[in-house]
Amino acid sequence: TEIVFERDHKLGTLWGLLLAWVAEREGKRDWAKRCLDEVRKRSEGVKLTGLYWQSGMAAFLLGEMGQVEGAIEMAGLVLDDHLKRELATIWASRGLFEPALKAAEGIEDAWRRAEALRAIAAEMAKAGEEELAKEVLNQALNQALKPAEGIEDAWRRAEVLRAIAAKMARAGMFEPALKAAEGIEYAWRRAEALRAIVAKMARAGMFEPALKAAEGIEYAWRRAEALRAIAAEMAKAGMEERAKEVFDQALKAAERIEGAWRRAKTLGAIAAEMAKAGEVEGALKAAERIEGAWRRAKTLGAIAAEMAKAGEVEGAVGIVERETGMRTEILSSVLQALAEKAMEGDEGSRGGFLRLLPLCGWSLELAYKACGLLARWYPEQGEAIARVVSGESRVANREG
């Protein structure tokens, strides 16, 4: 050990940790402590942090020594905040909660310290230590909120809290995330944060808590977006009836949106999501409420395309034929969906495509698109099809 330390202090440190690890594995904890003491004496003022594999190896070796006296102090000397968090998590997963908490205390960055505490709390909960887990989770929240403390500017403070809430939600810390969002003073920023958290909760299958959180969103358009996200995830989970109820709530929230443009956009997004979930009739009804003709047509196009993908050819074709004034916006997506189904051998979709084909003649752009899709069915006739469709479009343009 003396020789190795003299040649390369970093390598000597790793060598000492390896000897301590072997001693612990052999049940010689007093020798493991002795090795760590030697390394600590020689490592004062020197760190392995930021040296990639050396730091990673040190974390691995220390991960096996959670019960060795001096391991926590050694972690403080040789590991950066990221690896300290990893070490605390490893120890917690092995039920070594006290050393895990002490390792977390040594993490300088408030957010990483909060992440470590959250991981420890999760392991405590798994072990049945629910009360202790709650205490640690609250501690994690307090640590995570530290960056926002002392920020006098309300706008800046709101931005920091929103970022913290988003990070917590991504890490699955939903309850602390909601508390952080509630601390945001600006209502629209708070609504934005809550909507994002609710969407993450819905993706995690936490539907009822997500619905409760959505109730607290003050802005109707953000609340409608949150409810739409919950309903979509419910539909994916096979909860059709419940999803339908929540879609209805989303529509009611959307109707309370003051701005016509935003109201139309939100209704369109809800209608399209309903169509994906198989709620075609309710999608259609929602689309009818959209005031702007262009936005309504765009939404109907999305619905018709989803219907075509689901094999409801007659309904999809019917929407296109009925919306004579906005066919350009609708026809393209429906043709694409029908063509793809036809390529899979669906004869109904093939018939629907051919039924809509003449409607493409008045628009050169649509004609070329249809030509390209049709040519995929008859590759050997691609050039002939192009000439025919192009000719039809020229005639239609002259007549128009």
Side-chain angles (χ1 to χ4, degrees):
T1 303
E2 187 75 32
I3 293 170
V4 175
F5 265 106
E6 285 180 3
R7 288 183 177 177
D8 189 324
H9 186 89
K10 303 181 189 77
L11 187 59
T13 299
L14 288 176
W15 176 243
L17 290 175
L18 178 61
L19 292 177
W21 177 77
V22 172
E24 173 65 7
R25 298 276 288 187
E26 294 294 324
K28 312 243 182 233
R29 191 161 291 166
D30 55 336
W31 273 97
K33 177 184 179 303
R34 188 170 170 183
C35 290
L36 290 182
D37 287 342
E38 286 297 317
V39 174
R40 188 181 67 253
K41 288 175 187 175
R42 298 172 186 277
S43 295
E44 290 178 1
V46 179
K47 288 194 177 185
L48 296 181
T49 56
L51 296 181
Y52 307 106
W53 70 268
Q54 292 98 328
S55 294
M57 180 61 72
F60 168 77
L61 296 171
L62 286 167
E64 301 290 327
M65 293 186 277
Q67 293 178 293
V68 178
E69 186 181 341
I72 296 168
E73 187 179 353
M74 181 56 57
L77 288 171
V78 300
L79 301 182
D80 60 15
D81 280 351
H82 171 71
L83 289 171
K84 285 176 191 171
R85 184 195 66 184
E86 293 297 318
L87 181 63
T89 304
I90 291 168
W91 284 349
S93 69
R94 294 173 182 171
L96 303 173
F97 299 129
E98 188 176 345
L101 287 169
K102 286 182 178 176
E105 287 173 8
I107 299 173
E108 295 176 16
D109 180 75
W111 173 248
R112 290 198 187 277
R113 187 160 61 248
E115 283 184 318
L117 290 170
R118 192 269 308 171
I120 295 168
E123 294 298 335
M124 286 176 167
K126 286 181 191 175
E129 300 281 352
E130 293 184 5
E131 289 303 315
L132 191 56
K134 285 179 182 177
E135 290 179 20
V136 175
L137 199 57
N138 284 331
Q139 190 179 347
L141 172 61
N142 293 332
Q143 292 297 326
L145 294 177
K146 273 187 177 293
E149 290 177 5
I151 300 176
E152 294 182 7
D153 182 72
W155 175 262
R156 176 63 184 150
R157 188 165 57 249
E159 281 292 295
V160 172
L161 283 170
R162 186 180 64 83
I164 291 169
K167 276 188 175 182
M168 286 176 166
R170 284 196 295 271
M173 301 167 65
F174 298 120
E175 190 175 341
L178 289 171
K179 287 182 179 178
E182 287 166 6
I184 298 173
E185 295 168 53
Y186 289 92
W188 72 276
R189 277 293 190 206
R190 185 165 60 248
E192 187 180 49
L194 285 171
R195 191 267 308 164
I197 295 166
V198 165
K200 294 283 185 185
M201 292 173 79
R203 279 196 281 274
M206 300 176 64
F207 299 125
E208 295 309 317
L211 283 169
K212 188 176 179 181
E215 290 173 6
I217 300 176
E218 297 163 60
Y219 283 84
W221 65 285
R222 286 298 191 192
R223 185 163 62 255
E225 285 182 337
L227 290 168
R228 172 175 61 86
I230 296 170
E233 294 299 328
M234 283 179 166
K236 289 178 189 175
M239 302 168 62
E240 289 86 359
E241 288 303 314
R242 192 75 177 99
K244 188 175 180 180
E245 291 174 13
V246 179
F247 272 130
D248 286 341
Q249 291 178 34
L251 288 171
K252 288 175 183 174
E255 286 172 355
R256 288 193 286 271
I257 298 172
E258 294 181 8
W261 178 86
R262 193 176 294 283
R263 183 168 60 250
K265 184 179 178 183
T266 306
L267 281 168
I270 296 169
E273 206 67 63
M274 290 176 81
K276 286 181 187 176
E279 293 288 335
V280 176
E281 187 178 344
L284 289 173
K285 287 181 180 177
E288 288 169 5
R289 304 177 194 179
I290 299 173
E291 297 161 46
W294 181 86
R295 178 67 64 182
R296 183 167 60 252
K298 190 176 177 65
T299 303
L300 285 169
I303 294 168
E306 290 300 328
M307 291 172 75
K309 290 175 188 175
E312 297 184 33
V313 177
E314 201 59 37
V317 172
I319 289 174
V320 178
E321 290 178 335
R322 187 176 69 245
E323 295 295 318
T324 56
M326 300 296 286
R327 278 182 186 159
T328 305
E329 287 74 17
I330 299 176
L331 194 52
S332 180
S333 57
V334 178
L335 282 172
Q336 182 75 38
L338 289 171
E340 287 173 4
K341 291 285 288 184
M343 288 290 288
E344 295 170 8
D346 185 75
E347 286 302 316
S349 296
R350 186 187 186 92
F353 182 95
L354 294 173
R355 184 170 151 190
L356 293 178
L357 186 60
L359 300 180
C360 301
W362 67 276
S363 165
L364 190 60
E365 183 181 350
L366 280 173
Y368 274 117
K369 182 174 179 65
C371 170
L373 294 170
L374 192 61
R376 291 165 62 186
W377 300 355
Y378 310 102
E380 71 284 358
Q381 298 293 331
E383 290 184 13
I385 292 169
R387 285 196 299 272
V388 170
V389 177
S390 179
E392 287 183 358
S393 66
R394 284 196 296 270
V395 170
N397 285 332
R398 282 199 303 272
E399 291 176 353

